[in-house]
Amino acid sequence: MPNIVCVGAQWGDEGKGKIIDVLAKKADYIVRYQGGNNAGHTIVVGKKKFILHLIPSGILHPQKKCVIGNGVVINPEALFTEIDFLKKNNISIKGRLFISDRAHVIFPFHPLIDSLREDKIKNKAKIGTTKRGIGPCYSDKMMRFGIRVCDLIDEGSLSEKLDYLLKEKNKIIKHIYKAKAFDFKEVFKQYCDYARRIKPYVSNTAFLLNKEIDKKKSVLFEGAQGTLLDIDHGTYPYVTSSNATVGGAITGTGIGPTKIDQVIGVVKAYTTRVGEGPMPTEFPPDLMKQIRIKGDEFGATTGRPRRCGWFDAVVVRHAAVINGLTSLAVTKLDVLDEMKTIRICTGYRYKKMVIKDFPSNTNIFSHVMPVYEEHQGWMENTKDITSIKKLPPNAKKYLKRISQLVDVPLSIISVGSKRSQIIIL
Ligand code: IMP
């Protein structure tokens, strides 16, 4: 199989878990490259639903090797909860999980500060984060006093760096947020325990992956979140703190761009978003309720109800350009099965202009009005269809129009959460 990057082409939750699961069958390595346990990738195997936050979804395929790359921020508690959960479900990870020695580590003060900050802010500056400490951990990385996995497993280094970091964080926690500070000894002891457990998985994964690619092994890069949540190309400041786009796959693993053969953008047949920030095609309340229930649109990590809306071709076209998408995987087509008419947003009206390009200025983006075209629904069950030819004509027309507007060919259509509910083109 070629080396493929799979990215979200909307605001996350596009159904990447299912698409990765399908593609993983043919890959040798499945690699997470950014984000942390803010992600929630859902995979249904038989009657069992797995939600993975940190470990690549490929772990559900026996024999496949999985890597957590240097671009990821790792909360050890979440990691070991996930490892224990997999073990309980008889999924062996022995010799199959590799963790980068350069990945940064989340400490308990990161989620606390994330949470205190979010709760304190009442105005527009509220991001609506997952409160998993992702932003604070990436901030420390950029400030160059973050603690990496290679420091975690070196007791001397951990002690020295944690001492410095904790003194600073405790000042913020006590004086700005009036909350209880952390005790160095307790955190240090807890993280020394994590270090002992994590050590067997740790290696220079950039070296490992490059060596394996040279041996013609194939790598599947599992993006988390989505293009519109990317720190550079998303709806800043209502974004996450990493590069959820294709660039993140390169910096977050240490693999050069010339080694990547394909970039698949995953999109829902409509749009969803969790957290704050503008979303021009957001449904009115009745339709929101209907689609939220039909599509089970509740966050896989936080359980928060997702905001739902019509497919926004301006957003996905932006993602297509930024990521150089080679094809599109469309998920949850079946959720639209009962819609009489379906809308697609083809541009935005702003003042007296029609904008076709995604605006950088969030103030402008908050005030645009969507320009819609209307399509007739298909009003048929598509859940058990496994060939594009058998899809109702209006469903085919809808998909064709999406592909045309985004200017990217389709490669996969998903019509349900089960592994079998898939159309490969
Ligand atoms: P953070 O990543 O927790 O800092 O949250 C920043 C923004 O990204 C918030 O709007 C979150 O709701 C959103 N977000 C983070 N991870 C995900 C995800 O996996 N799916 C959808 N939205 C996400």
Side-chain angles (χ1 to χ4, degrees), residues 222-283:
E222 176 172 351
Q225 290 84 47
T227 301
L228 276 294
L229 290 173
D230 181 279
I231 185 83
D232 285 288
H233 300 287
T235 43
Y236 191 90
Y238 304 104
V239 291
T240 191
S241 303
S242 65
N243 283 115
T245 45
V246 69
I250 293 155
T251 55
T253 58
I255 292 170
T258 49
K259 308 263 168 79
I260 291 167
D261 304 297
Q262 290 180 25
V263 187
I264 300 182
V266 186
V267 291
K268 262 181 203 163
Y270 47 99
T271 306
T272 63
R273 166 163 213 181
V274 207
E276 308 299 318
M279 179 181 166
T281 64
E282 196 162 359
F283 288 140

Side-chain angles (χ1 to χ4, degrees), residues 154-172:
D154 169 353
E155 216 174 282
S157 182
L158 175 65
S159 165
E160 189 190 321
K161 286 176 187 259
L162 182 63
D163 182 50
Y164 175 77
L165 199 55
L166 199 54
K167 277 186 183 134
E168 192 200 69
K169 301 299 173 193
N170 275 343
K171 276 189 198 150
I172 297 172

Side-chain angles (χ1 to χ4, degrees), residues 53 78 81 127 150 166 182 184 223 265 280 283 346 381 400 402:
H53 301 282
T81 304
I127 309 284
C150 55
L166 199 54
F182 286 94
F184 172 84
F283 288 140
T346 58
N381 180 3
K400 194 172 163 197
I402 284 178

Side-chain angles (χ1 to χ4, degrees), residues 107-344:
F107 284 80
F109 43 81
H110 290 128
L112 180 68
I113 291 174
D114 196 359
S115 196
L116 291 169
R117 185 177 185 278
E118 278 287 303
D119 292 344
K120 194 173 174 174
I121 293 170
K122 297 276 180 288
N123 59 21
K124 269 188 177 174
K126 195 182 173 93
I127 309 284
T129 75
T130 59
K131 300 184 177 174
R132 297 297 188 266
I134 307 298
C137 184
Y138 277 118
S139 302
D140 286 350
K141 173 177 176 174
M142 293 306 172
M143 291 294 285
R144 289 145 295 159
F145 47 57
I147 300 178
R148 300 188 294 170
V149 170
C150 55
D151 304 313
L152 176 71
I153 58 173
D154 169 353
E155 216 174 282
S157 182
L158 175 65
S159 165
E160 189 190 321
K161 286 176 187 259
L162 182 63
D163 182 50
Y164 175 77
L165 199 55
L166 199 54
K167 277 186 183 134
E168 192 200 69
K169 301 299 173 193
N170 275 343
K171 276 189 198 150
I172 297 172
I173 292 166
K174 274 199 298 197
H175 301 302
I176 298 185
Y177 297 111
K178 317 283 177 228
K180 191 172 170 274
F182 286 94
D183 175 63
F184 172 84
K185 275 192 199 146
E186 260 176 48
V187 180
F188 181 66
K189 184 180 171 302
Q190 186 186 22
Y191 275 69
C192 283
D193 288 344
Y194 289 145
R196 267 188 290 280
R197 287 190 72 188
I198 208 171
K199 209 170 176 174
Y201 304 105
V202 177
S203 65
N204 179 340
T205 53
F207 181 72
L208 166 82
L209 287 170
N210 277 293
K211 222 172 54 175
E212 292 296 278
I213 290 175
D214 286 346
K215 286 196 237 157
K216 305 283 174 240
K217 300 277 187 212
S218 62
V219 178
L220 174 61
F221 299 81
E222 176 172 351
Q225 290 84 47
T227 301
L228 276 294
L229 290 173
D230 181 279
I231 185 83
D232 285 288
H233 300 287
T235 43
Y236 191 90
Y238 304 104
V239 291
T240 191
S241 303
S242 65
N243 283 115
T245 45
V246 69
I250 293 155
T251 55
T253 58
I255 292 170
T258 49
K259 308 263 168 79
I260 291 167
D261 304 297
Q262 290 180 25
V263 187
I264 300 182
V266 186
V267 291
K268 262 181 203 163
Y270 47 99
T271 306
T272 63
R273 166 163 213 181
V274 207
E276 308 299 318
M279 179 181 166
T281 64
E282 196 162 359
F283 288 140
D286 280 5
L287 203 46
M288 175 84 80
K289 197 171 162 201
Q290 185 189 331
I291 295 294
R292 188 178 279 158
I293 291 168
K294 179 104 206 273
D296 193 19
E297 295 297 354
F298 297 90
T301 300
T302 58
R304 289 181 292 176
R306 295 180 186 139
R307 298 156 65 192
C308 307
W310 296 115
F311 187 88
D312 188 334
V314 184
V315 156
V316 181
R317 176 76 196 127
H318 170 68
V321 172
I322 294 301
N323 294 294
L325 296 184
T326 55
S327 75
L328 274 187
V330 181
T331 64
K332 292 194 154 183
L333 184 73
D334 57 295
V335 174
L336 301 181
D337 281 354
E338 286 149 28
M339 305 293 290
K340 261 198 192 136
T341 52
I342 302 173
R343 290 172 149 192
I344 300 179

